Amino acid sequence: MSAWELPISITVNNTIYKLRTDFRAVLDVLAAMNDPDLFEPDSDSNEKAWIQCITGLQILIEDFNSLPPDDYIEAWQQCIDFIDCGMKDDGKRKPHTMDWQQDAQIIIPAINRIQGTEIRALSYLHWWTFVGAYMEIGECLFSQVVNIRQKKATNKKLEKWEKEFYNANKEIIDLKKRVSEEQQKEMDALEKWL
């Protein structure tokens, strides 16, 4: 994938498959990858990976039904490359400091500022353009939240103003653990007994 072009398809076994490249489609894929209701609680990692692969392909490939099952893995790898904007990570594990769904209300204004428009009102915005704007987010509420999360995740001391900001905004700063509907019902039932 060339950084100078906005990809709109992948090629698997000499067949071109058109992708849904709008940022909302990719965010749907990312949400599905983190959806605890998508998997059985006792699913093994191979089963989860397979479900993620098929779900992601169904969302991203416009004509998913024409993709032969033997090509799923290659197609999914290319879709991951598309989602990653062709960038390879260094393989080092980093602390989890943002969540597309939880942080949407503080990410959107920052990207709107960079794009100079309300992105939700656009009928189409390519994923790579969206990520480019995301990467340019400067000083704003979202960057303050992420900075505090990073410090907390790496056990670094918060400055006085950061502690005050954290104490006043725990609801938006603390990342929530996602649980399945079934797990939530069990927790709610247990809470009633306590």
Side-chain angles (χ1 to χ4, degrees), residues 132-151:
Y134 173 82
M135 291 170 49
E136 288 299 314
I137 292 174
E139 195 60 37
C140 63
L141 176 60
F142 175 66
S143 63
Q144 289 175 338
V145 167
V146 169
N147 184 50
I148 291 172
R149 286 176 184 163
Q150 283 180 314
K151 283 187 171 184

Side-chain angles (χ1 to χ4, degrees), residues 106-118:
I106 57 177
I107 292 172
I108 293 166
I111 292 178
N112 285 347
R113 186 185 69 228
I114 292 160
Q115 289 297 106
T117 190
E118 171 55 65

Side-chain angles (χ1 to χ4, degrees), residues 50-70:
W50 187 246
I51 292 169
Q52 287 179 329
C53 168
I54 293 171
T55 302
L57 291 172
Q58 288 173 331
I59 295 170
L60 285 181
I61 296 180
E62 286 189 8
D63 191 15
F64 169 75
N65 292 330
S66 69
L67 179 68
D70 288 345

Side-chain angles (χ1 to χ4, degrees), residues 35-114:
D35 183 350
D37 288 315
L38 192 58
F39 313 104
E40 294 295 323
D42 57 347
S43 298
D44 66 26
S45 60
N46 287 335
E47 184 180 357
K48 287 180 182 179
W50 187 246
I51 292 169
Q52 287 179 329
C53 168
I54 293 171
T55 302
L57 291 172
Q58 288 173 331
I59 295 170
L60 285 181
I61 296 180
E62 286 189 8
D63 191 15
F64 169 75
N65 292 330
S66 69
L67 179 68
D70 288 345
D71 291 339
Y72 285 2
I73 293 172
E74 171 62 26
W76 181 233
Q77 186 56 57
Q78 288 190 44
C79 285
I80 291 171
D81 290 343
F82 168 75
I83 292 169
D84 291 343
C85 300
M87 296 181 278
K88 304 292 180 202
D89 79 25
D90 58 13
K92 295 178 184 173
R93 191 159 177 89
K94 296 171 183 74
H96 182 68
T97 58
M98 66 85 60
D99 181 288
W100 288 108
Q101 288 179 298
Q102 180 179 328
D103 295 333
Q105 296 304 320
I106 57 177
I107 292 172
I108 293 166
I111 292 178
N112 285 347
R113 186 185 69 228
I114 292 160

